[in-house]
Amino acid sequence: MRTEIKTAIIIAIVVSVGIGGIGYYFTTLDKPKVVTQVPTNNNKQGSTNVDSSASSTKTTQIDESQYPIAPDLTGISGYVNTTPENLKAAMKDKVVLYDFWTYSCINCIRTFPYLKAWNEKYSDKGLLIIGVHSPEFEFEKDINNVKMAVAKYGLQYPVVLDNDHATWNAFGNRYWPAEYLADSTGHIRHTHFGEGDYNETEKAIQQLLDERSQRLGLGINVDQSLVNIKEHQFANQQTPELYFGYSFVTGRSFIGNSEGFKPEETVSYSLPSDLQQDHFYLEGQWQNLADSMKLVSQSGKIVLPYFAKDVHIVAANKADLHILLDGNPISASDAGADVQNGTVHVSENRLYNLVSSSTAGSHTLTITAQSGFQIYTFTFG
């Protein structure tokens, strides 16, 4: 190859590399990196303390710019166990676990033992749990009902009422329950939707508390053991959640009566001869409401062939419900926590446990009720 050609090629390569380097430099200026020095925990699971000498000498770099900042709590209509001023002060430099829940949700209720245990174990180490109560039904917007639920379940951490789902939407949330775990600089580092994976969430809490201790120079040792709580066991199959409100049933209508849903009308329902599993059937006059059905006639029935271990209803207004299982008065071994001598006394707007069998199976549940009884949903476990 001729010398002048070689020279031209070399110059072209040098120019290309120079232009690329300058372009990369200016590109990096548009993407600032926030890097935090955090401890690497070398302790095995189950150890009691973090070795403070080891964590002070060995650190790992965390690029926080890849994690979103937790949105502000917005549109909050009420506060339980706190005030706006106290909550704002409490959040400063804390690892914050945002728990989206609603008090009539059985899946949310089953997470409470873990949340309470984490609050007791880690609150003095820098963890702040905030219950973001985002209601599914209208009665769950009442702060007195939320206070009743907070007291009933022994929740001692702050709870805020997100009645219009403003904070729910700010997080882009779509689930009950949902956990968003933010580090002490406000970056969301861990999320989990639904029940389960409690060990993974707790390990994430421990990691972020260790990072916080290192960042603030606190020297706090975080217990690396995990809370020991028996997790709810789901059946391999079960009936899906069944809604009674006409605005909730688009694409998932499970009413078995031929009369179907008739929005804002009072409908006379009669039981057909053939019943299909995973559908509910009504007898009597029922008012069709957006989120529920209300019994108008003096008495009425709900019949449900289902497959599950546990059966719950969300119900309102005062009523006595008589419970049959497979055509017989429900036995003590199958009766849920809210059943007394075959009867459920509905006195509060909340979730009621009707059936709690030892194993999942196919059964037919019959509920006989009186005028005024209002039902929102069947849920199963």
Side-chain angles (χ1 to χ4, degrees):
M1 185 180 292
R2 292 170 56 183
T3 303
E4 57 267 34
I5 296 177
K6 290 182 180 179
T7 303
I9 292 174
I10 292 171
I11 291 172
I13 293 172
V14 170
V15 171
S16 298
V17 171
I19 292 172
I22 292 171
Y24 175 77
Y25 170 76
F26 283 105
T27 301
T28 58
L29 289 181
D30 293 332
K31 298 180 181 179
K33 300 294 183 182
V34 180
V35 178
T36 303
Q37 297 286 332
V38 299
T40 299
N41 175 18
N42 294 320
N43 286 28
K44 295 182 179 179
Q45 179 180 330
S47 60
T48 341
N49 294 298
V50 176
D51 185 336
S52 58
S53 62
S55 62
S56 64
T57 58
K58 188 173 182 180
T59 60
T60 298
Q61 289 188 337
I62 299 297
D63 178 8
E64 291 181 335
S65 67
Q66 64 183 301
Y67 300 105
I69 291 286
D72 292 334
L73 298 172
T74 183
I76 302 304
S77 61
Y79 295 79
V80 182
N81 294 339
T82 190
T83 64
E85 299 76 18
N86 289 344
L87 182 58
K88 182 178 180 180
M91 293 176 69
K92 182 177 174 57
D93 290 327
K94 294 292 179 59
V95 172
V96 180
L97 178 61
Y98 299 88
D99 170 50
F100 284 84
W101 67 294
T102 188
Y103 81 81
S104 71
C105 167
I106 184 58
N107 307 96
C108 301
I109 292 169
R110 286 197 289 250
T111 67
F112 290 160
Y114 299 90
L115 292 166
K116 291 163 63 176
W118 294 338
N119 184 60
E120 181 178 351
K121 184 177 179 182
Y122 301 113
S123 61
D124 62 346
K125 301 295 191 297
L127 175 68
L128 176 66
I129 299 177
I130 301 176
V132 184
H133 187 269
S134 303
E136 185 172 21
F137 303 114
E138 193 67 24
F139 67 82
E140 293 174 308
K141 296 181 178 181
D142 188 332
I143 192 170
N144 292 319
N145 289 342
V146 178
K147 287 180 176 178
M148 172 196 72
V150 167
K152 176 181 179 179
Y153 296 111
L155 309 182
Q156 297 182 355
Y157 46 80
V159 172
V160 298
L161 272 66
D162 181 31
N163 280 354
D164 295 323
H165 288 203
T167 295
W168 170 288
N169 291 330
F171 275 77
N173 188 47
R174 294 293 179 269
Y175 307 98
W176 293 281
E179 315 299 331
Y180 295 82
L181 183 64
D183 62 21
S184 60
T185 63
H187 293 82
I188 297 176
R189 301 276 297 278
H190 177 84
T191 58
H192 185 265
F193 307 120
E195 300 181 53
D197 291 336
Y198 299 106
N199 287 351
E200 286 71 17
T201 299
E202 186 172 6
K203 289 174 185 176
I205 291 171
Q206 293 171 349
Q207 176 188 339
L208 298 190
L209 290 176
D210 282 339
E211 292 181 16
R212 172 182 181 270
S213 177
Q214 179 73 14
R215 185 177 75 85
L216 300 178
L218 300 177
I220 295 176
N221 293 334
V222 178
D223 183 353
Q224 299 296 298
S225 63
L226 301 174
V227 298
N228 184 18
I229 299 174
K230 185 177 180 181
E231 193 169 335
H232 178 78
Q233 298 298 312
F234 290 92
N236 292 331
Q237 68 175 88
Q238 68 180 29
T239 299
E241 187 169 14
L242 308 178
Y243 286 90
F244 285 75
Y246 63 80
S247 68
F248 285 76
V249 299
T250 302
R252 52 180 176 181
S253 174
F254 291 98
I255 186 171
N257 299 82
S258 59
E259 296 86 355
F261 289 100
K262 295 184 179 179
E264 300 305 319
E265 293 186 21
T266 297
V267 181
S268 293
Y269 292 99
S270 57
L271 295 174
S273 55
D274 294 326
L275 305 181
Q276 183 179 351
Q277 186 170 289
D278 300 342
H279 289 68
F280 64 85
Y281 298 82
L282 303 170
E283 182 179 78
Q285 291 184 309
W286 294 81
Q287 184 181 5
N288 285 225
L289 302 173
D291 61 356
S292 59
M293 281 194 177
K294 186 176 181 180
L295 181 60
V296 175
S297 54
Q298 187 173 357
S299 64
K301 287 183 181 180
I302 304 172
V303 180
L304 170 69
Y306 71 92
F307 187 98
K309 176 177 176 290
D310 302 319
V311 182
H312 314 267
I313 60 170
V314 175
N317 299 338
K318 295 185 182 300
D320 288 338
L321 311 180
H322 301 289
I323 310 300
L324 301 180
L325 192 64
D326 298 326
N328 300 308
I330 191 167
S331 65
S333 59
D334 288 311
D338 291 297
V339 178
Q340 298 178 358
N341 298 321
T343 301
V344 175
H345 303 285
V346 176
S347 58
E348 302 166 338
N349 300 352
R350 64 174 176 86
L351 183 92
Y352 291 85
N353 178 213
L354 273 55
V355 180
S356 184
S357 302
S358 57
T359 58
S362 292
H363 300 281
T364 298
L365 174 68
T366 302
I367 302 171
T368 302
Q370 300 81 41
S371 178
F373 171 63
Q374 194 166 351
I375 183 167
Y376 293 77
T377 181
F378 277 115
T379 61
F380 304 88

